[in-house]
Amino acid sequence: LAQVTTDGVESCFLFKNNGTLMAHYCLNCSPTDPRVGAAIVSNIWSLYYKNGRGSLDEDRLQMLVMEFHGGKVVMKLVNNLILCICATTSVENGMLIKKCEALVEYLQEPLSKVPTL
């Protein structure tokens, strides 16, 4: 997870759909518990996933990119886990998406060997 935290990418999380934090890496450790962030992002993912199925006529959410006043977040499924990468607003969306896709590709095979996920 630490490999993508360069050039404006500040943190990376890997968690279950229910918000259980599996792993995280943060460049500048914040006073906020990373489990809180994982729970919030998990809820955001779940809402978009459920609403997308009904209103957007899509049956599976692939990726979610959000931009806020203070930064950007990209989320993507890798096996049965959600990968979340947080970055500053200076990071271009394309670069953030490419980093996310590269990390998903890197993690896909090792995570597929873990039977409980």
Side-chain angles (χ1 to χ4, degrees):
L1 299 180
Q3 294 173 339
V4 297
T5 54
T6 59
D7 301 325
V9 176
E10 297 179 333
S11 58
C12 189
F13 299 85
L14 193 61
F15 52 89
K16 292 182 178 182
N17 286 332
N18 66 5
T20 303
L21 183 64
M22 301 300 289
H24 84 282
Y25 181 83
C26 186
L27 274 179
N28 302 318
C29 292
S30 71
T32 306
D33 188 342
R35 293 175 295 184
V36 173
I40 292 169
V41 172
S42 170
N43 282 324
I44 293 170
W45 178 271
S46 294
L47 287 171
Y48 275 91
Y49 180 78
K50 289 174 187 173
N51 289 330
R53 287 177 54 180
S55 63
L56 300 176
D57 199 28
E58 293 287 329
D59 59 346
R60 186 160 172 104
L61 180 62
Q62 298 295 315
M63 179 182 280
L64 184 62
V65 181
M66 301 175 77
E67 188 166 348
F68 305 99
H69 180 68
K72 298 178 180 184
V73 173
V74 62
M75 295 173 252
K76 187 169 176 72
L77 279 178
V78 54
N79 290 358
N80 289 328
L81 299 176
I82 301 170
L83 174 69
C84 176
I85 300 175
C86 305
T88 63
T89 55
S90 65
V91 179
E92 296 292 329
N93 286 345
M95 180 58 73
L96 191 58
I97 291 169
K98 284 295 184 186
K99 285 186 176 201
C100 182
E101 289 173 343
L103 190 54
V104 165
E105 185 177 322
Y106 179 78
L107 293 172
Q108 194 78 41
E109 187 205 345
L111 289 176
S112 68
K113 294 178 182 178
V114 180
T116 59
L117 301 177

